[in-house]
Amino acid sequence: MILRFTLPFRTDWGQRLVVCGSLPSLGQWNLDQALSLHYNADYGVWSQEISLPDDQLGQVAYKYILLDERDGGKHWEWGPNRTISYDGQRFTRIVLEDFWRPAAQPENELHTAAFTKALMRRVVPTQPAPSTPTADSVVRFQLSAPRVDSNHQVCVLGSDPALGAWDAQQAVILSDTDYPTWCADVALQNPEQTTQYKYGIWDPQEKKILQLEAGEDRLIFPSADRRTLRVKADDNFRYPTGNWRGAGVALPVFALRSRRGLGVGEFPDLKLLVDWAVSAGLKMVQVLPINDTVATHTWVDSYPYAAISVFALHPQYLNLDAIAELQDPAARQELEQLREELNAKDFVDYEPVMNAKWKFIRLLYQQEKARFLADPEFQAFRQEQESWLAPYAAFSALRDRFKTADFSQWPEEFQTPTRVAELTDETSPDFDEAGLHFFTQFHLDKQLREAVAYARQHGVVVKGDLPIGIYRHSVDAWTQPELYHMHQQAGAPPDDFSLTGQNWRFPTYNWERMAEDGYAWWKQRMGTLARYFDALRIDHILGFFRIWEIPGHSVEGLLGHFSPALPFHRHEIEQRLGWFDYGRLCVPYIRWHMLPAIFHGQAQQVFDEFMVADEYGAIQLKEHVRTQRQIEQVFDERIAADPSNADHYKWLRTGLYKLVNEVLFVPDDQRADFYHPRITLHLTQSFRELDEPSAHRLRELYVDFFYRRHEEFWREQGLVKLPPVRYATDMLICGEDLGMVPESVPGVMKALGILGLNIQRMPSDPNVEFGHPGSAPYLSVVSPGSHDMSTVRGWWEEDREKTQRFFEHTLGHYGQQAPQHCEPWVAREITEQHLYSPAMWAIFPLQDLLAMDSGLRREDPLAEQINVPANPTHFWKYRLHLNLEELAQAQPFTDQVSQLVKHSGRAQAY
């Protein structure tokens, strides 16, 4: 039999199309052996035929590729492999009438799990698989259309009597067996005539067409071929209403409050938030990272971006009652008493909460151990997750045994993971140390998957969060240290959050090593996240282009540099600046007149203790305080010995940090005689005291380095690293792309179908003070704020002049006085402005939605902020002040949100 490929496509000179696939005649997925298509200029169609065995059944997988001989480009069409099943006994000819599937199209993102598994999920096929008519010439209508809600179907209506002759009651219903592809085989009654047709949305309950697609009629041209199957693989359904848009709510799991919790939000609480979201017309619930951060068993572990495992879940989210009832009456009574005490607090009291959790987890483990270890469900979980679960359980056991997660301080035989199998062997006398963590992770996994399944059943997407870094003292660093630069620190350059930059103290990635196995670690990490989430926020997605890398001797972020980067060689600096002096450019610039401005009346005392001067008046820090890390150690010891003067010591420490930062270039740590301009060098005293010609030339060099030199280089980095991560799963991917964004980033994200983030207070355009949600692109998320910011109410009171400008120019109240506080009607206007944005998603921190209701919102707006990035020792303790059960009963507020969402046109399927 004959298989004919046809594809309408207008190419430019030097371009051609090929088809590559599973058969030898299609190259068996070897692009060099792909089948070349021929171009018919009269019809603008590329085509070619191959032969298949007669009288046999089989299947062919294939894909089209555009080859560009001008630049050597090899552009595969977007989407999964195409497949066609053939029956050589039934047909002698199959004609594939395909359309090119371009990348970077907004409708492509409707094929992600957010839509196919949650928003538009198909519980069971509502229409059986098509049976091929007995006629000897058949047309297969095949349409890829994920945007059809679970209560409706796709139909086809047309001019041929077999398509209803335009009688809507006679439309042909397509099968969703292969959803999001819809399919029906039809034997046209008049195949010798041109057939006009359109697809529609069919309501099986009302038995009518709800929506017929827009645009001109589609056409099937006449054909006299017999024993032929024509496959009309049509392009997208043409929705009259334009792009789909949805709204969602953001709240960390730890911040959820319910009557059944134990002083902190737990995974089953997500069901309550989902219930409220459904009532409010919201289609997404967004959370912060949920991985285990237990490193010190202190409140420091409340920081959710420092996970000891990128796979394990945090024990704080475990609901004890869902495991089993405690058999000991005294323990049950104690648990209830603690629940009452901890739930009465207006914040997450991390250490008491975790102490209580661990106590009762241990009791439940001992109580349920025999049944648990024999449970086939646990055995299947352990086998499936063994690659990360066993090392994690062993690591956690050793952390508790040796009272530290810093494995470099463990006995030598445990500093590498060579004894994992022994530590996790059920016959080992010490097995319970690890078994406790098997038990905890099994039930965490079960409870989270139940909550996500509940959300999907109610048409709500759960969106997770992927931290850009890994914790230095983590299972990941213990088991695969070769994947990271352990001597470096990741962070962020100065921004609105922190004027001295952020130092997260995470090691940076060894991307070259990761590439050697095809980014297997990243793919496993994404696969684990996809187990729980249908959408994902990638924290600091700029890290896939370049990360802010800080040397190990720094505490603040100012002495970092982008990595990878193209630093200047000394000769290039000398050529462009006119001179090069290492001591003047790379050694901290300290002069006496700077000290009183920093240390005031204590300048002489500070100089005497920490500095020395040469005969020319240049001052250097003494050897034991040359680096910020050395300074940190000195003052940590003083604060520990004299805590009553801690504030004074911190003030002195900050002043000395400032002096260390007084450099204009940072030496590259990989290549000798290469240098990076220090970020914000124009703010240094060293720069201000340069002569004018040198300052002018250095400013030009700085602008070139940070805004021009790296654009193409970083674009290539993103196109190498991001695709393996992006395409490892079918999750909808959103990138947090705030801050100092290279010009190449938006283009790469668009090409990969990654949604950007638009925060009104942090516009991507440096020439505007406030962004407007109405100017956001479709493939993006708009939000009034994030967990790293004050809430809208808190921000409103920070800077009256800025608030006034926002009130007049962004909200449109020209010439009016802004209210002193963010009144509910102001919060409503801000919410509406975001809802009417063209962006695919408008996501609101729950605090900002509650700001619209004077009776529900928290009294103190400052108590609503989740994180303060400028404070590296911030305690993450925010908790919603309302029980979710109370929120569910606040019907007027819920109705208000629902009406706003509905009137904005969000979450309407068609």
Side-chain angles (χ1 to χ4, degrees):
M1 67 178 297
I2 298 298
L3 178 61
R4 181 173 179 80
F5 300 92
T6 68
L7 185 75
F9 195 99
R10 297 285 182 180
T11 53
D12 294 327
W13 183 260
Q15 294 179 326
R16 62 188 180 93
L17 283 168
V18 299
V19 59
C20 194
S22 57
L23 297 177
S25 54
L26 300 179
Q28 291 183 312
W29 297 113
N30 181 352
L31 185 54
D32 294 332
Q33 304 297 320
L35 177 70
S36 294
L37 303 182
H38 298 308
Y39 184 60
N40 185 320
D42 294 336
Y43 297 99
V45 174
W46 291 78
S47 62
Q48 183 58 285
E49 295 180 350
I50 62 172
S51 295
L52 298 175
D54 293 332
D55 302 325
Q56 290 188 19
L57 303 176
Q59 187 180 74
V60 180
Y62 66 100
K63 216 169 189 182
Y64 295 102
I65 305 94
L66 175 66
L67 301 180
D68 195 329
E69 296 174 354
R70 299 170 302 180
D71 60 5
K74 301 173 182 178
H75 308 286
W76 292 71
E77 65 172 340
W78 175 85
N81 296 334
R82 300 173 184 263
T83 58
I84 180 67
S85 298
Y86 61 88
D87 181 352
Q89 299 175 351
R90 178 76 174 80
F91 299 108
T92 60
R93 185 178 179 84
I94 298 177
V95 179
L96 303 173
E97 300 182 20
D98 291 324
F99 285 87
W100 175 262
R101 301 182 308 201
Q105 298 300 301
E107 55 268 22
N108 292 350
E109 301 320 303
L110 302 182
H111 291 260
T112 57
F115 292 88
T116 61
K117 294 179 181 177
L119 295 168
M120 310 290 171
R121 77 207 178 285
R122 319 304 293 179
V123 181
V124 293
T126 54
Q127 184 75 4
S131 57
T132 305
T134 56
D136 68 352
S137 185
V138 173
V139 175
R140 176 170 295 165
F141 293 91
Q142 185 173 296
L143 180 72
S144 181
R147 185 178 159 188
V148 182
D149 70 39
S150 54
N151 298 320
H152 298 138
Q153 298 164 276
V154 172
C155 65
V156 60
L157 184 68
S159 59
D160 191 273
L163 298 177
W166 293 117
D167 178 356
Q169 295 300 312
Q170 303 299 317
V172 175
I173 313 302
L174 278 65
S175 169
D176 61 356
T177 300
D178 295 321
Y179 174 82
T181 299
W182 299 77
C183 193
D185 286 357
V186 177
L188 299 177
Q189 292 188 23
N190 301 311
E192 71 282 357
Q193 298 177 10
T194 297
T195 299
Q196 299 165 289
Y197 70 100
K198 277 187 173 180
Y199 294 101
I201 304 297
W202 178 262
D203 186 333
Q205 297 297 322
E206 300 290 331
K207 298 191 181 303
K208 67 178 184 180
I209 295 177
L210 297 178
Q211 188 75 257
L212 205 60
E213 64 177 343
E216 298 180 353
D217 293 341
R218 301 177 189 259
L219 301 176
I220 302 175
F221 295 107
S223 173
D225 293 337
R226 317 315 298 174
R227 295 189 66 191
T228 297
L229 173 64
R230 298 174 67 182
V231 181
K232 296 287 294 181
D234 282 317
D235 55 358
N236 301 291
F237 188 96
R238 301 163 187 168
Y239 294 94
T241 54
N243 293 324
W244 184 95
R245 298 180 305 129
V249 60
L251 195 68
V253 177
F254 61 75
L256 299 175
R257 180 188 289 271
S258 77
R259 297 189 182 109
R260 67 185 297 184
L262 187 62
V264 68
E266 299 169 346
F267 286 144
D269 295 334
L270 285 168
K271 298 178 183 178
L272 298 176
L273 185 58
V274 165
D275 288 340
W276 177 79
V278 171
S279 300
L282 303 174
K283 296 291 186 179
M284 178 177 281
V285 167
Q286 176 175 313
V287 300
L288 289 183
I290 53 172
N291 294 110
D292 186 2
T293 60
V294 179
T296 66
H297 288 292
T298 69
W299 65 266
V300 175
D301 299 340
S302 69
Y303 179 43
Y305 287 88
I308 64 163
S309 167
V310 299
F311 303 105
L313 301 172
H314 200 302
Q316 70 177 329
Y317 302 125
L318 188 64
N319 180 267
L320 302 171
D321 297 339
I323 298 174
E325 184 180 36
L326 287 163
Q327 295 173 357
D328 180 2
R332 286 202 304 271
Q333 183 178 354
E334 183 184 0
L335 175 58
E336 288 308 311
Q337 182 179 344
L338 280 170
R339 177 177 281 119
E340 186 175 341
E341 291 175 6
L342 294 171
N343 282 344
K345 298 187 178 185
D346 62 358
F347 67 100
V348 178
D349 198 355
Y350 185 87
E351 288 185 43
V353 165
M354 288 306 300
N355 289 338
K357 290 267 182 175
W358 282 122
K359 177 175 183 176
F360 294 109
I361 289 172
R362 287 187 171 91
L363 287 175
L364 285 167
Y365 171 68
Q366 292 299 332
Q367 174 185 303
E368 302 294 318
K369 177 182 174 182
R371 188 182 305 114
F372 160 68
L373 292 177
D375 186 350
E377 191 177 350
F378 163 66
Q379 294 299 335
F381 170 74
R382 177 172 180 175
Q383 184 176 2
E384 183 182 14
Q385 308 297 323
E386 181 76 14
S387 62
W388 68 263
L389 182 61
Y392 163 79
F395 180 94
S396 299
L398 294 171
R399 171 203 62 202
D400 294 345
R401 182 188 298 182
F402 301 121
K403 310 302 182 185
T404 178
D406 183 355
F407 49 87
S408 68
Q409 297 183 30
W410 295 349
E412 186 175 354
E413 66 265 30
F414 296 114
Q415 289 182 10
T416 59
T418 54
R419 298 179 63 178
V420 166
E422 174 189 335
L423 291 164
T424 57
D425 186 340
E426 291 183 23
T427 63
S428 166
D430 297 324
F431 170 73
D432 284 349
E433 292 182 15
L436 175 71
H437 303 289
F438 284 129
F439 178 77
T440 305
Q441 288 303 310
F442 169 70
H443 285 289
L444 283 166
D445 175 82
K446 185 176 182 179
Q447 291 181 15
L448 179 54
R449 286 190 295 113
E450 287 176 355
V452 172
Y454 183 86
R456 287 171 178 160
Q457 291 162 12
H458 289 78
V460 174
V461 179
V462 182
K463 179 182 178 184
D465 193 325
L466 181 147
I468 186 59
I470 69 145
Y471 185 53
R472 187 171 300 278
H473 308 309
S474 65
V475 187
D476 309 283
W478 184 53
T479 57
Q480 294 179 284
E482 69 278 4
L483 297 182
Y484 321 103
H485 294 304
M486 299 300 294
H487 63 291
Q488 297 285 7
Q489 306 173 103
D495 56 20
D496 291 345
F497 296 138
S498 175
L499 296 179
T500 57
Q502 298 177 51
N503 183 354
W504 305 323
R505 302 199 178 192
F506 304 148
T508 57
Y509 292 122
N510 183 348
W511 288 105
E512 292 78 10
R513 176 62 183 81
M514 288 178 162
E516 291 177 7
D517 60 7
Y519 304 96
W521 179 83
W522 277 105
K523 292 175 180 177
Q524 183 186 8
R525 185 178 185 186
M526 293 296 285
T528 300
L529 288 165
R531 181 177 175 87
Y532 310 119
F533 303 117
D534 294 324
L536 187 70
R537 169 191 179 269
I538 297 181
D539 172 54
H540 196 67
I541 198 171
L542 305 181
F544 287 90
F545 296 81
R546 80 292 186 272
I547 196 73
W548 190 246
E549 192 170 68
I550 304 164
H553 57 69
S554 281
V555 174
E556 297 175 326
L558 284 174
L559 296 186
H561 61 79
F562 288 122
S563 177
L566 303 171
F568 293 118
H569 188 271
R570 177 173 57 85
H571 293 156
E572 185 175 1
I573 298 173
E574 192 169 19
Q575 181 182 29
R576 298 181 63 173
L577 193 59
W579 56 277
F580 181 88
D581 182 335
Y582 184 91
R584 179 65 180 85
L585 297 175
C586 305
V587 173
Y589 180 81
I590 309 173
R591 301 295 184 267
W592 171 256
H593 64 271
M594 298 165 57
L595 302 186
I598 298 174
F599 300 106
H600 308 301
Q602 298 186 45
Q604 185 65 53
Q605 180 181 344
V606 172
F607 171 83
D608 292 341
E609 184 172 2
F610 297 108
M611 305 174 206
V612 294
D614 64 20
E615 56 185 303
Y616 303 104
I619 297 173
Q620 287 187 337
L621 292 165
K622 291 182 179 178
E623 192 168 338
H624 72 288
V625 286
R626 288 277 170 88
T627 71
Q628 291 186 341
R629 194 67 71 196
Q630 289 175 315
I631 294 169
E632 179 185 52
Q633 182 176 350
V634 167
F635 283 94
D636 280 352
E637 292 172 357
R638 295 190 180 188
I639 291 170
D642 184 13
S644 62
N645 283 318
D647 290 343
H648 176 66
Y649 291 135
K650 291 176 182 177
W651 174 73
L652 289 175
R653 184 181 64 190
T654 300
L656 292 172
Y657 284 170
K658 182 177 176 63
L659 292 179
V660 174
N661 289 331
E662 279 287 333
V663 299
L664 299 177
F665 284 88
V666 176
D668 187 81
D669 62 319
Q670 298 291 325
R671 289 164 288 182
D673 242 7
F674 281 86
Y675 304 88
H676 305 258
R678 202 214 81 172
I679 192 77
T680 62
L681 59 78
H682 57 285
L683 299 179
T684 65
Q685 189 68 28
S686 177
F687 179 81
R688 286 192 288 269
E689 297 190 9
L690 287 173
D691 61 79
E692 183 53 37
S694 293
H696 175 75
R697 287 192 289 267
L698 182 54
R699 190 180 290 110
E700 286 295 311
L701 184 145
Y702 178 91
V703 170
D704 174 45
F705 184 84
F706 284 105
Y707 297 100
R708 294 191 290 265
R709 185 180 180 93
H710 293 91
E711 284 304 325
E712 180 60 23
F713 177 69
W714 284 335
R715 186 184 75 85
E716 293 171 355
Q717 295 295 319
L719 286 173
V720 168
K721 299 168 187 172
L722 266 175
V725 176
R726 168 69 181 87
Y727 297 119
T729 71
D730 61 355
M731 288 186 289
L732 176 68
I733 304 296
C734 310
E736 184 272 292
D737 54 349
L738 304 176
M740 194 174 180
V741 182
E743 289 184 7
S744 58
V745 169
V748 172
M749 291 176 63
K750 181 180 179 181
L752 298 176
I754 299 175
L755 278 60
L757 178 60
N758 289 267
I759 301 287
Q760 201 163 34
R761 286 176 265 163
M762 288 191 69
S764 56
D765 183 352
N767 299 314
V768 299
E769 186 174 19
F770 305 109
H772 197 290
S775 61
Y778 175 63
L779 289 184
S780 68
V781 175
V782 292
S783 180
S786 76
H787 64 276
D788 283 327
M789 298 176 169
S790 52
T791 58
V792 166
R793 291 175 61 212
W795 171 79
W796 193 266
E797 300 176 16
E798 289 174 3
D799 186 328
R800 289 293 304 159
E801 293 183 2
K802 183 176 287 189
T803 299
Q804 183 64 39
R805 292 193 299 272
F806 177 83
F807 186 68
E808 291 194 57
H809 301 296
T810 305
L811 292 185
H813 297 283
Y814 301 102
Q816 300 178 38
Q817 184 67 32
Q820 188 72 23
H821 304 287
C822 183
E823 304 296 344
W825 63 269
V826 174
R828 180 186 173 109
E829 286 190 8
I830 294 171
T831 299
E832 287 184 296
Q833 199 176 68
H834 284 77
L835 285 171
Y836 280 88
S837 166
M840 177 184 280
W841 287 99
I843 300 178
F844 302 89
L846 183 54
Q847 306 96 299
D848 289 341
L849 291 177
L850 289 169
M852 297 189 296
D853 191 302
S854 58
L856 288 178
R857 65 189 196 174
R858 203 167 191 154
E859 183 176 349
D860 179 11
L862 299 182
E864 296 180 322
Q865 186 166 346
I866 296 172
N867 180 37
V868 181
N871 179 7
T873 58
H874 176 72
F875 181 6
W876 292 63
K877 60 182 180 179
Y878 171 74
R879 197 175 192 204
L880 188 66
H881 62 292
L882 300 171
N883 280 333
L884 291 170
E885 295 91 343
E886 294 176 63
L887 183 63
Q889 295 172 358
Q891 203 58 49
F893 168 68
T894 303
D895 290 344
Q896 179 185 185
V897 176
S898 178
Q899 289 300 311
L900 291 176
V901 172
K902 181 179 179 181
H903 291 156
S904 70
R906 288 192 174 271
Q908 297 177 5
Y910 318 119

